Amino acid sequence: MKRLAILLAAFALALALPAAAAQPKVLRYAFEVAETSFDPVKLNDLYSRTLTPHIFEAPYTFDHLARPVKIKPLTADGMPQHSADFRTWTVRIRPGIYFADDPAFKGRKRELVAQDYVYTFKRYADPANRSPGWGEIEDQRFVGLAALREEALASHKPFDYDRPIEGIRALDRYTLQFRIEQPRPRFIQLLAVSDLYGAVAREVVEFYGDQIDAHPVGTGPFRLAHWRRSSFIVLERNPDFREMVYDAEPEADDAEGQAIAARFKGRRLPMIDRVEISIIEEDQPRWLSFLGGEADFVYRLGYEFVTMAMPNGKVAPNLAKKGVQGFRVADPATQSMLFNMEDPTVGGYTPERIALRRAIALGMDTRTEIEHAYSGLGVVAQSLYLPFTRGFDVHDKSEFGDYDPPRAKALLDMYGFLDRDGDGWRDMPDGSPLVLRVASQSDKRSRRIAEVLHKNMAALSVRVNFEIAQWPENLKAARAGKLAMWSVGSYADAPDGQGALTQYHSKQIGGQNFARFKLPALDALYERMQVLPDGPERDALFRDAQKLAIAYMPYKHKLSRISTDMAYPWLVGYRRPVFWTHWWQYVDIDESRRTPRAP
């Protein structure tokens, strides 16, 4: 009896004690490039734009598993209504969605309303923000928005956020309406870009002032918990996130998608509690962090390790024994060499400067670059349009893909780029030295890209000086027009291929148009494409724009990448997005399968 009493007492005590807290589910991996900001209005890089859509939410999103891609509501209550001419779009915002708690709200619960999106879009027009995204917003031609911006510029007074404009307005607490000067048949794609156009609360921006880039507050599934700039980032589950469950619609014949959907259907999102991002720029330490179990996932495995990790496209036996998964994907991306059209050496629109750029492009051996810097995982680009987008044609063959040193030398000779002083190097037509200034980074892949370019240009008797800086510094300098040449990537964020033409549109100078290219004929094509519905007439304009891009060569589009992601077996449900950059809420961590990390 005494023993029974002891057992009963122990049982009662166990019931009285609080249950042990469940172990947090943590996703750990590394970015190869540092973030630049958490303020969407300031962003122009892939890695920052991978962070922000987990915090901020646009009205719409892409179905995570649907292939072909499909847009569905996120904070919107149903799909948008539009006029027959695609100039008026009306969106109903779902009531009962709240921002994450923040001191800016002074202790009150802050509901998302239509006016938050009005404010979010107006921020791009505010000259004080110097937003690289203003060109894209200006292209939409919201009625009255450009005039409001011009008034602020002319008066040197603060931008008037309180003045109503017809182009972006809240009809009531939950109804948002856009009025556009010209038809925009694909406008919904803009409303699905959470990384840039997710709702921002005005109180938060005004509360933090010039520190806003370190205080992102949104309605999304995660919130920023810790930020050590260019080093370490932690996002944690947003405790105020509404009830949202996993609901995706893969195609019936998509076995992988159907399996993921069946496993997670009805699960509340997000399924993980925390995401820890380290910034590791070099491929080798990033790969070693994965092998050592410090990372659960490796995004874009360094190309020099791909053949070791996935020989012949299959996970290596030593990794397969650990349950490691490999994902080989073609990116909707292109790597290009930009030429600054305002640079005194490679810029300009005169015949000799056009000939110089085209000669440089013809002298670049992209196939060797793919082998040397990307371990063979790439395809020579023949188009300015990105894979999987409208305008891209897998059968294209163009000068972008040509490697023709004899033709390059003939162009240089014909336009007076000769060795005038007998030192073995070509000079400018006026006799001054011809020296290409090429921006680059210090990581191994960038060094290998530079090695190939140096060898290619030496074969043409053209000198090259490489100017090394960190990638975010080069990005900032490119936007300011301070780089002469730079090898940079572009990534599609929507199915429409016109996004690639923002690199050429004069209104995007300071934004996506790093080359600072200005050509009225191409601007006219761009603006005509904006208003046309998809069809043969618009497809012909895609081809016409490419002809102009090749003729003037402000960019040498080099290659389309094939990337490799890898994950340990405890990361469940991963599928690389096509255009969007948010996926953390759609995966789970099975802690029972995790291998304990060494102390």
Side-chain angles (χ1 to χ4, degrees):
M1 291 294 295
K2 183 177 180 180
R3 183 180 178 187
L4 179 60
I6 293 172
L7 289 173
L8 289 172
F11 181 68
L13 179 62
L15 290 176
L17 291 173
Q23 185 177 2
K25 296 181 177 182
V26 182
L27 169 64
R28 302 178 181 90
Y29 76 105
F31 284 177
E32 60 183 330
V33 173
E35 78 299 335
T36 57
S37 174
F38 279 90
D39 186 3
V41 79
K42 299 174 183 174
L43 303 187
N44 200 27
D45 66 285
L46 174 64
Y47 295 91
S48 300
R49 292 181 63 177
T50 299
L51 296 164
T52 52
H54 294 95
I55 298 172
F56 302 99
E57 294 180 301
Y60 297 94
T61 190
F62 290 94
D63 185 304
H64 186 59
L65 297 181
R67 309 287 190 276
V69 298
K70 180 168 57 178
I71 292 176
K72 65 181 186 179
L74 184 55
T75 64
D77 190 6
M79 298 302 284
Q81 302 297 310
H82 62 78
S83 60
D85 63 1
F86 298 104
R87 293 173 61 183
T88 301
W89 292 74
T90 305
V91 177
R92 177 78 176 170
I93 303 301
R94 186 185 313 130
I97 296 175
Y98 293 88
F99 285 92
D101 186 36
D102 189 83
F105 300 133
K106 304 185 186 308
R108 66 187 178 92
K109 199 172 182 182
R110 174 62 159 79
E111 187 181 21
L112 172 71
V113 295
Q115 189 62 37
D116 292 314
Y117 286 109
V118 175
Y119 176 73
T120 295
F121 279 94
K122 280 185 172 180
R123 291 189 73 217
Y124 284 85
D126 185 347
N129 288 326
R130 299 179 180 178
S131 175
W134 165 241
E136 182 173 28
I137 295 301
E138 186 181 21
D139 281 347
Q140 300 305 318
R141 303 284 185 90
F142 295 116
V143 176
L145 185 60
L148 193 60
R149 174 184 170 88
E150 288 303 316
E151 183 176 318
L153 287 168
S155 67
H156 303 288
K157 293 180 179 179
F159 184 83
D160 189 355
Y161 283 98
D162 294 316
R163 182 181 302 179
I165 60 169
E166 188 179 351
I168 312 171
R169 57 181 178 160
L171 301 184
D172 58 39
R173 185 172 178 83
Y174 302 112
T175 306
L176 176 67
Q177 187 177 83
F178 300 92
R179 294 288 303 276
I180 307 169
E181 294 174 3
Q182 299 175 337
R184 289 292 183 267
R186 291 157 294 278
F187 182 65
I188 189 175
Q189 294 184 18
L190 187 84
L191 299 180
V193 182
S194 288
D195 46 315
L196 298 181
Y197 309 124
V200 175
R202 182 172 180 174
E203 306 98 293
V204 175
V205 176
E206 293 179 348
F207 184 81
Y208 289 106
D210 60 6
Q211 298 299 312
I212 185 59
D213 68 339
H215 296 277
V217 179
T219 61
F222 295 93
R223 65 181 184 182
L224 180 63
H226 179 74
W227 183 25
R228 193 162 66 241
R229 191 181 292 269
S230 301
S231 177
F232 186 62
I233 302 160
V234 178
L235 268 62
E236 64 183 11
R237 177 195 294 269
N238 173 9
D240 300 308
F241 189 58
R242 64 193 177 278
E243 184 170 346
M244 179 183 287
V245 299
Y246 198 107
D247 183 21
E249 297 181 356
E251 293 294 303
D253 60 353
D254 179 0
E256 178 192 61
Q258 288 288 345
I260 296 173
R263 176 165 187 159
F264 291 137
K265 186 173 179 61
R267 287 277 300 275
R268 186 164 182 172
L269 302 178
M271 294 184 281
I272 60 176
D273 302 296
R274 184 178 170 96
V275 182
E276 298 179 357
I277 303 293
S278 301
I279 311 302
I280 306 177
E281 295 180 343
E282 288 287 351
D283 289 342
Q284 184 180 44
R286 194 166 60 252
W287 174 232
L288 291 176
S289 74
F290 177 74
L291 291 180
E294 297 169 14
D296 309 308
F297 170 76
V298 58
Y299 175 74
R300 287 187 182 168
L301 173 62
Y303 288 95
E304 64 181 302
F305 301 106
V306 169
T307 53
M308 180 192 312
M310 287 189 69
N312 301 315
K314 295 183 178 180
V315 177
N318 63 312
L319 297 174
K321 288 179 182 178
K322 299 179 180 180
V324 170
Q325 311 160 76
F327 309 89
R328 183 157 291 176
V329 291
D331 288 340
T334 297
Q335 199 75 17
S336 308
M337 176 65 76
L338 73 87
F339 299 95
N340 183 347
M341 297 296 286
E342 297 174 358
D343 181 75
T345 300
V346 298
Y349 299 81
T350 57
E352 69 273 9
R353 298 306 171 85
I354 293 171
L356 174 60
R357 291 191 298 273
R358 292 181 73 163
I360 293 169
L362 287 167
M364 295 172 66
D365 184 356
T366 302
R367 292 189 184 280
T368 295
E369 180 177 321
I370 291 171
E371 292 298 326
H372 189 59
Y374 296 91
S375 296
L377 293 175
V379 178
V380 174
Q382 303 287 349
S383 172
L384 70 88
Y385 305 110
L386 306 183
F388 309 113
T389 67
R390 193 174 190 95
F392 178 81
D393 184 347
V394 71
H395 301 296
D396 263 353
K397 175 70 175 70
S398 79
E399 189 175 311
F400 285 134
D402 288 347
Y403 171 55
D404 192 341
R407 187 176 164 202
K409 291 177 182 178
L411 271 174
L412 293 170
D413 291 345
M414 183 182 302
Y415 285 90
F417 296 93
L418 306 170
D419 177 9
R420 298 177 182 276
D421 57 9
D423 65 354
W425 298 103
R426 292 181 185 270
D427 299 301
M428 299 288 285
D430 65 2
S432 61
L434 170 58
V435 182
L436 305 182
R437 296 186 304 109
V438 181
S440 188
Q441 297 77 234
S442 61
D443 62 279
K444 190 170 184 178
R445 191 189 336 162
S446 295
R447 294 197 302 271
R448 289 193 168 191
I449 293 170
E451 288 167 3
V452 175
L453 180 63
H454 185 271
K455 183 177 180 180
N456 291 164
M457 294 302 101
L460 302 181
S461 301
V462 174
R463 285 171 286 204
V464 181
N465 283 345
F466 291 97
E467 300 170 348
I468 309 301
Q470 289 190 328
W471 192 91
E473 294 172 4
N474 279 333
L475 175 64
K476 183 177 180 180
R479 282 176 50 192
K482 295 179 179 179
L483 302 185
M485 296 172 61
W486 186 34
S487 182
V488 64
S490 56
Y491 202 97
D493 64 2
D496 188 53
Q498 188 164 353
L501 285 174
T502 59
Q503 301 171 87
Y504 295 86
H505 194 211
S506 64
K507 290 182 179 179
Q508 288 279 355
I509 291 174
Q512 298 295 334
N513 186 348
F514 295 134
R516 309 180 81 79
F517 182 64
K518 298 177 184 177
L519 189 68
L522 203 146
D523 285 349
L525 286 174
Y526 182 94
E527 288 160 17
R528 178 63 179 155
M529 291 169 69
Q530 286 276 65
V531 305
L532 288 175
D534 291 336
E537 182 181 357
R538 189 165 184 264
D539 290 341
L541 297 185
F542 276 109
R543 295 190 289 273
D544 291 344
Q546 171 140 310
K547 291 175 184 176
L548 290 174
I550 291 171
Y552 286 88
M553 200 64 70
Y555 301 88
K556 156 74 171 183
H557 298 290
K558 299 189 294 180
L559 61 100
S560 297
R561 298 187 303 258
I562 298 173
S563 293
T564 302
D565 303 336
M566 304 199 84
Y568 280 107
W570 49 85
L571 176 61
V572 184
Y574 174 71
R575 191 180 213 187
R576 170 80 83 90
V578 182
F579 303 115
W580 55 103
T581 54
H582 53 287
W583 55 269
W584 301 340
Q585 64 267 45
Y586 301 120
V587 298
D588 195 11
I589 295 289
D590 184 349
E591 292 291 348
S592 68
R593 301 184 68 183
R594 185 189 291 275
T595 302
R597 291 193 291 174

